[in-house]
Amino acid sequence: VVFLFVLAMGVRADQPVCASLVQLAGVKDSASQFNMYINGQFRPSTSERMQPVYAPFNGSKVYEVPACTQAEIDEAFESAKTAQKAWSRTPLWKRAELLKKAAAKMREHANEIAEVMMNEVAKPRKAALQEVLRTADIFEYTAEEGVRIAGSLLTSDSFPGEKRNKLALVSRVPLGVLVAIPPYNYPLNLAGSKVAPALMAGNALVMKPPSQGAVTGLVGVAAVFHLAGAPAGLLSVVTGKGAEIGDYITQHQHADIISFTGGSTGIRVARGAGMVPLQMELGGKDPAVVLPDADMELAAANIVKGAFSFSGQRCTGVKIVVVVEPEGKESTLDRLLPLILKHTRALKAGHPAEEGGEITA
């Protein structure tokens, strides 16, 4: 029964059956080389060029991913456009079913995905595992809420001078093909928060994972949805340097909406997008404000945690501390600064696989 079920999901005969996502997405007989995922298939690029991925904690080469060609990106968009037409007619409960199956596969292979993430972005093992499980939660939450997508009904007398003799039905419809570009610091969680809502709303996706985090995208998103039975073409994951293929993807004629998380590159994306709808998160300055009557020990502990969690590689990390000084009383800064220094000196640097490591890159 298991064998027949896997065949129905489209896993090729030469691929291992759910034994390992790395084996499914990887190049045969290699533990470090990976394939791109286009139109329901893991395969190498015709460019025959590989993009290395280096571990931030020691500089060693841990993985290689294909450098996709423009023709392969065209194929990803064409297959997404075709798949989206059928997916938009798929009942909400069946879309939710796919997300729940993907969440189950993600939980089943959580440790394997976390290991890849740890190697790629130096996220501590425990935090990487938490990210995987939190992404599975997002899939399940989206599936539950997505079946309650509602429109609205307006009566004509809501407009000045009109009688109540007409009804206006407002319905939500999919946009088409979404370009998803998640960041390196949360390569799975911020990919999942783009992928799950887009699929639930009836869209297809072409995802370009970050160069530092590409294998997490292939293993944690492409392989997971492949095993969950996603229709061919509904989700493709293309890899390569953003400087080489980024503009071609974001300015593609079949891109109907762009969801981008990153930094100043977002300005370039926005300028080239034309009239295509954008959903962007480009970071922030994130100040912590300390008032004179604050608990200084608690404030210092949370400032250091907010600044240095995941080695400081967080768009929501504390970057500025604003201290409010009282009139005629002991300086807030004089009380706060020694405590910040104490907590900072107590941070543990080490390998991301080590228990309790806080500064890992």
Side-chain angles (χ1 to χ4, degrees):
V1 174
V2 173
F3 180 68
L4 291 176
F5 175 63
V6 171
L7 283 182
M9 293 192 296
V11 180
R12 297 195 303 268
D14 62 340
Q15 293 175 335
V17 180
C18 299
S20 164
L21 296 185
V22 167
Q23 288 177 305
L24 176 62
V27 175
K28 191 175 181 181
D29 300 325
S30 173
S32 63
Q33 290 186 326
F34 286 81
N35 290 308
M36 60 187 181
Y37 185 68
I38 295 178
N39 198 15
Q41 291 185 324
F42 285 100
R43 65 175 196 256
S45 171
T46 56
S47 74
E48 299 183 350
R49 292 192 300 121
M50 300 297 286
Q51 174 76 29
V53 178
Y54 297 98
F57 48 86
N58 62 14
S60 65
K61 185 172 73 173
V62 285
Y63 303 121
E64 290 182 301
V65 297
C68 291
T69 66
Q70 290 187 357
E72 288 160 345
I73 292 168
D74 288 341
E75 183 185 352
F77 274 100
E78 290 291 348
S79 62
K81 186 179 178 181
T82 300
Q84 192 274 327
K85 292 178 181 177
W87 187 246
S88 67
R89 298 190 295 270
T90 301
L92 288 174
W93 65 268
K94 284 193 70 69
R95 298 181 202 171
E97 190 176 73
L98 175 64
L99 292 185
K100 290 177 181 179
K101 287 180 179 178
K105 292 298 177 185
M106 188 171 286
R107 294 186 192 280
E108 180 183 342
H109 296 276
N111 286 313
E112 185 181 7
I113 300 169
E115 182 81 13
V116 169
M117 192 189 310
M118 182 190 74
N119 290 335
E120 279 197 294
V121 301
K123 183 161 290 192
R125 187 191 299 276
K126 182 178 179 181
L129 182 59
Q130 289 172 341
E131 180 168 340
V132 177
L133 298 177
R134 191 167 70 251
T135 306
D137 288 343
I138 288 174
F139 285 6
E140 291 168 342
Y141 175 82
T142 303
E144 289 296 332
E145 288 300 309
V147 294
R148 289 182 279 276
I149 294 175
S152 58
L153 188 66
L154 304 177
T155 57
S156 54
D157 59 341
S158 59
F159 298 92
E162 293 292 330
K163 298 178 180 179
R164 186 177 291 226
N165 57 2
K166 300 182 184 72
L167 294 176
L169 178 64
V170 180
S171 180
R172 297 178 182 271
V173 296
L175 285 164
V177 178
L178 178 138
V179 172
I181 305 179
Y184 75 94
N185 55 350
Y186 289 88
L188 186 63
N189 188 247
L190 292 180
S193 63
K194 301 177 190 302
V195 171
L199 291 177
M200 194 64 214
N203 300 288
L205 295 101
V206 174
M207 184 174 117
K208 161 62 176 78
S211 298
Q212 197 78 31
V215 180
T216 301
L218 289 166
V219 170
V221 178
V224 160
F225 274 97
H226 186 81
L227 290 179
L234 186 64
L235 167 69
S236 289
V237 178
V238 296
T239 56
K241 288 185 177 180
E244 295 179 359
I245 62 174
D247 286 349
Y248 192 74
I249 293 172
T250 57
Q251 297 173 26
H252 201 278
Q253 61 176 336
H254 295 320
D256 297 309
I257 180 173
I258 300 168
S259 178
F260 175 90
T261 302
S264 58
T265 303
I267 298 172
R268 180 186 179 96
V269 172
R271 285 173 176 165
M275 296 298 289
V276 173
L278 299 172
Q279 182 274 317
M280 312 187 86
E281 181 198 356
L282 306 180
K285 294 303 180 188
D286 309 300
V289 180
V290 182
L291 301 179
D293 61 348
D295 181 329
M296 293 298 151
E297 181 67 37
L298 182 62
N302 280 283
I303 287 169
V304 172
K305 181 180 179 181
F308 293 103
S309 176
F310 183 29
S311 304
Q313 301 302 311
R314 295 167 55 225
C315 56
T316 56
V318 174
K319 304 172 185 69
I320 299 171
V321 179
V322 178
V323 177
V324 179
E325 294 287 11
E327 291 186 10
K329 295 183 181 180
E330 184 182 1
S331 167
T332 305
L333 181 60
D334 289 346
R335 291 183 292 148
L336 178 67
L337 186 56
L339 297 173
I340 289 177
L341 294 175
K342 180 189 76 170
H343 284 284
T344 302
R345 292 188 182 108
L347 291 170
K348 180 182 177 182
H351 192 283
E354 296 175 1
E355 186 67 30
E358 296 162 300
I359 306 299
T360 54

